[in-house]
Amino acid sequence: MSNRTGPHDQTKTRTLEASPSIVQDAVMPTYARLPIAFEKGEGCWLTSTNGVRFFDALSGIAVCNLGHAHPDVAMAIGRQAETLVHTSNLYEIDSQRRLAQRLAALSKMDRIFFCNSGAEANEAAIKLARRFGHNRGIENPVIITALGSFHGRTLATLTATGNPKVQQGFAPLVPGFQHVPYDDAQALETAIRDTPDVVAVLLEPIQGEGGVRIPLPDYLRNVRRLCDDHGLLMMLDEVQTGMCRTGAWFAADHTMVRPDVMTLAKALGNGVPIGACLARGEAAKVLDAGSHGSTFGGNPLACAAALATLQVMEKQDAPRLAQARGAQLLAELRVGLRDLPMVVDVRGQGLMIGIELNQDCSDLVTRALEARLLINVTAGRVVRLLPPLVITEEETTQLARQVIALIRDFAAQHTAKPS
């Protein structure tokens, strides 16, 4: 690692202007893209089309948990691409069967439906919950979700998402959803009692897009109890938190809670699109032939990538890596920012870190880009860090130093205005 430029090195050797080869005129402007494109990656590092190296503290939004271009994953993808990429789910897929067995063993779930993204995995969970209700004679089943949540951008997952801003302009939304405050078991209990025909509760173990909100330790246990008491499905969206990101294979493992349905995507294929909806018990028997499907879901290429990803994570003990480097990063950030009144909180679990400020700090993303660092600001005022789990001790210190410098500089230029 010694030959790599650290994220704290401010020396500019080349321009950061966008390459003239980047043509976006024909692309729908659904993203406010930053003026940079990348052509290769290695570990925690990305190289732009202009040859500038950046430290990726976002992992493609919690996707490349093993870093970029991991050799074992790359080899598995290449080998599979030379053999067979796709056949469709009209036929048996041996690698899909093996992947399902491996995931079932890790999660203690029974059956798995494969798709291509987190939104699709959550769509599968929503359909499963509705059919679960219909099987019980409930004509208009209701799913309870949380305010501040994010579950996707399809119409159903958009409706499940507890954020009016992302729903704006897409009415009429899908009926059958009720939102309650996050991390409030009493509010959930009241909603279950007062809302007819509730069949499931869908939650994130930690809210990612909502600002890295970590609930109280007993929250998920109380949700599990309420679901058991009322015969509801407990469904956990582990799209961002799963695959060792929080220091356990799945974030729910920290509280020893096992859901009835769990969704995965993002890091499952380390960059190759793949999603999964896992179910156990009665929930695992709800969907049958013809009730749901996906043309590309769990095809040989995606499953090869996912199998290789799991193998590397197990070999390297990825949960332990996330715990160790996450604890280091959290401690260094807390020490470096403890005297800033602007900093409301520095929180995290594993390598899922949020630094909450008392005012909007969205322009920190651009400032970080100028310093060759890729970060994210979510919920307007929370700096979110999701570095690859393979980050070294030295790189972790470098990352902490640069983030501290960015926030301290931002604080020096802005008068804090508590809200």
Side-chain angles (χ1 to χ4, degrees), residues 17 57 65 70 74 121 130 146 151 163 204 220 265 321 350 391 413:
E17 293 180 1
N65 280 8
H70 191 285
R130 285 194 167 190
H151 298 292
N163 184 349
E204 297 160 278
L220 292 183
L321 293 177
I391 186 173
Q413 297 178 32

Side-chain angles (χ1 to χ4, degrees), residues 111-167:
R111 290 180 178 171
I112 295 146
F113 169 81
F114 289 105
C115 49
N116 311 286
S117 67
E120 289 178 65
N122 285 330
E123 281 276 349
I126 290 167
K127 287 183 67 175
L128 188 157
R130 285 194 167 190
R131 176 170 268 211
F132 173 81
H134 282 285
N135 289 347
R136 293 187 167 194
I138 298 174
E139 186 175 347
N140 296 299
V142 174
I143 299 170
I144 296 179
T145 65
L147 295 171
S149 62
F150 183 84
H151 298 292
R153 293 185 183 273
T154 63
L155 273 177
T157 58
L158 187 73
T159 308
T161 293
N163 184 349
K165 182 178 178 181
V166 300
Q167 296 171 341

